[in-house]
Amino acid sequence: MSEPWEEEGPGTIKKFMYVNRKAPYGTIYALESLEVVLIAAAFEQDVSMAFLDDGVYQLKKGQDTQGIGMKNFSPTYRALEGYDVEKLYVEAESLAERGLSEDDLLVPVEVMGREALAELMDEQDVILSF
Amino acid sequence: MKYGILVNEGPYQHQASDTAYQFAQALLDKGHELFRVFFYHDGVNNGTRFAVPPQDDRNITARWSEMAEKHGVDLVICIAAAQRRGLLDEGEAKRQGKDGNNIAPGFRISGLGQLIEAGIQSDRLVVFGD
Amino acid sequence: MTMLHTVNKSPFERNTLASCLGHAKSGSAILLIEDGVFAAVKGTAHEDTVRGAVADHKVFVLGPDLLARGMRPEQVIEGISVVDYGGFVDLTEQHDKVQAWV
């Protein structure tokens, strides 16, 4: 079944960046943002995800949510590649401030400095932050 | 200019819904087009007609409904977020076997694709959140 | 390409303004709204940071949010322009995109 928005034919391809600045579980933003990214993949836009500030905690290895009775959605980040969402950018300064390194992350990402990330943000057409 | 708006917070709890409304009203006053307002996260609670705020307070839901009626603004509530939070239209209530629906006039429930479409179609997508 | 950044948090509560300033390119515009307006007021511990931002960016503050919180336009740091909701709309029109530092 085709959705109405799919019937418009091939249109403009915009650069969409999803900016993640919040940690998982304390609030629902990380989980519901991920749901947007998965849906958005079907639109064949130029999609990227940025993780900065507490957003880097979303990608921390070894999340175990059994004790809090919430679903561990972190494996979904590993599934993104299957949705052709391959541009995951993590800010180096945000990692360092939190005593984390690339080895602490559960999925391959591109770690970049604040300035480079700012440059990338500037190139976007649509920036969605949750 | 064509605008899209994303509202990520619930009414009364956070100013985001109010700021989004004032911004929407101002852009309409200036003769711009408001393509769609998409309600996500707790923002879906903007669309319940069962809210009864005190008489001396603003009625956030009614305000949106009036805007939809007057200006033909498309008010879309995210279905995934709505299901979590108990927002139902007639069709959803039937599908989920619930004994009633609570969606306000002018609002409709649809998928996250509507948000992406708003990002593609609009000249500007403005996010209001926490 | 130019960007409008919106900041809606008090600098005393969260790092939102600092994070925005760390990423906003020189010459871009920053609009302080909701609890973000407290950063625009003179005499706070964040005044030096904000004065630095004014030197490098176009900084605006949403007047209705300022007045609602008992602050007057005269208390705003020099170089910051006070706008209303219509001015907010104009800013989004004048810049190619908007990044909300929520």
Side-chain angles (χ1 to χ4, degrees):
Chain A
M1 198 181 84
S2 77
E3 302 288 350
W5 61 83
E6 290 173 340
E7 286 161 12
E8 290 170 5
T12 33
I13 294 183
K14 284 191 175 180
K15 288 183 154 201
F16 277 71
M17 179 178 268
Y18 299 89
V19 176
N20 297 280
R21 295 182 52 246
K22 289 170 183 149
Y25 309 117
T27 55
I28 199 172
Y29 302 104
L31 168 60
E32 287 192 329
S33 305
L34 198 48
E35 289 180 348
V36 177
V37 176
L38 295 175
I39 295 287
F43 285 79
E44 295 180 351
Q45 301 292 304
D46 183 352
V47 171
S48 61
M49 294 180 82
F51 298 86
L52 57 150
D53 296 333
D54 281 352
V56 301
Y57 286 127
Q58 293 179 25
L59 301 179
K60 175 74 178 63
K61 264 183 201 162
Q63 296 175 29
D64 176 0
T65 59
Q66 277 185 13
I68 60 170
M70 291 167 78
K71 183 180 161 188
N72 176 3
F73 60 91
S74 64
T76 313
Y77 294 103
R78 281 194 219 107
L80 286 169
E81 204 184 352
Y83 289 81
D84 291 326
V85 179
E86 286 159 348
K87 296 179 197 167
L88 307 185
Y89 305 118
V90 175
E91 187 176 89
E93 287 86 342
S94 298
L95 283 177
E97 282 162 10
R98 286 159 184 79
L100 297 173
S101 73
E102 199 171 346
D103 293 339
D104 294 304
L105 306 181
L106 51 79
V107 72
V109 299
E110 187 178 341
V111 176
M112 59 169 64
R114 188 160 287 164
E115 225 160 286
L117 185 62
E119 202 65 47
L120 258 179
M121 285 173 168
D122 205 51
E123 291 168 11
Q124 303 302 313
D125 296 309
V126 183
I127 297 176
L128 285 164
S129 19
F130 299 100
Chain B
M1 191 158 271
K2 195 191 272 192
Y3 282 87
I5 288 177
L6 170 63
V7 179
N8 287 335
E9 290 301 320
Y12 307 106
Q13 175 76 22
H14 192 287
Q15 199 186 345
S17 301
D18 292 278
T19 308
Y21 175 80
Q22 301 294 349
F23 179 82
Q25 194 60 60
L27 78 86
L28 291 168
D29 289 345
K30 283 179 174 282
H32 295 297
E33 180 191 345
L34 183 49
F35 174 71
R36 178 171 294 151
V37 184
F38 192 87
F39 298 90
Y40 197 38
H41 303 292
D42 275 359
V44 299
N45 291 319
N46 275 267
T48 171
R49 68 166 193 274
F50 285 177
V52 189
Q55 291 226 331
D56 61 351
D57 198 355
R58 74 255 190 246
N59 188 324
I60 293 180
T61 301
R63 218 162 52 173
W64 284 122
S65 292
E66 280 159 29
M67 182 180 282
E69 196 185 358
K70 200 168 162 198
H71 300 279
V73 177
D74 191 20
L75 305 176
V76 180
I77 293 171
C78 169
I79 187 161
Q83 285 175 337
R84 282 198 180 100
R85 295 165 177 86
L87 257 285
L88 299 156
D89 61 11
E90 209 181 328
E92 266 302 291
K94 203 169 282 179
R95 235 187 326 275
Q96 306 292 344
K98 300 294 182 186
D99 58 7
N101 68 78
N102 55 351
I103 195 171
F107 287 83
R108 63 188 180 93
I109 293 181
S110 190
L112 276 167
Q114 301 278 306
L115 168 62
I116 309 305
E117 193 199 32
I120 296 170
Q121 300 282 329
S122 306
D123 299 309
R124 302 286 184 273
L125 185 71
V126 187
V127 179
F128 297 92
D130 179 41
Chain C
M1 303 271 263
T2 56
M3 181 130 59
L4 171 67
H5 302 267
T6 63
V7 173
N8 73 340
K9 301 294 180 325
S10 162
F12 296 97
E13 193 204 354
R14 297 207 218 163
N15 74 337
T16 314
L17 178 64
S19 193
C20 169
L21 293 177
H23 296 86
K25 294 188 68 176
S26 156
S28 62
I30 297 165
L31 171 64
L32 305 168
I33 66 170
E34 299 173 359
D35 288 350
V37 301
F38 294 123
V41 177
K42 277 186 271 198
T44 78
H46 295 278
E47 181 169 346
D48 287 349
T49 308
V50 177
R51 284 195 186 275
V54 170
D56 210 22
H57 307 274
K58 293 167 283 176
V59 182
F60 302 85
V61 61
L62 196 58
D65 277 332
L66 201 61
L67 297 176
R69 289 162 177 77
M71 304 294 174
R72 297 184 312 279
E74 307 89 79
Q75 292 173 271
V76 167
I77 293 167
E78 293 81 16
I80 299 181
S81 311
V82 181
V83 296
D84 59 9
Y85 288 102
F88 184 176
V89 173
D90 292 342
L91 284 172
T92 62
E93 198 183 354
Q94 290 154 10
H95 296 85
D96 303 313
K97 56 230 164 186
V98 189
Q99 176 162 12
W101 288 86
V102 291

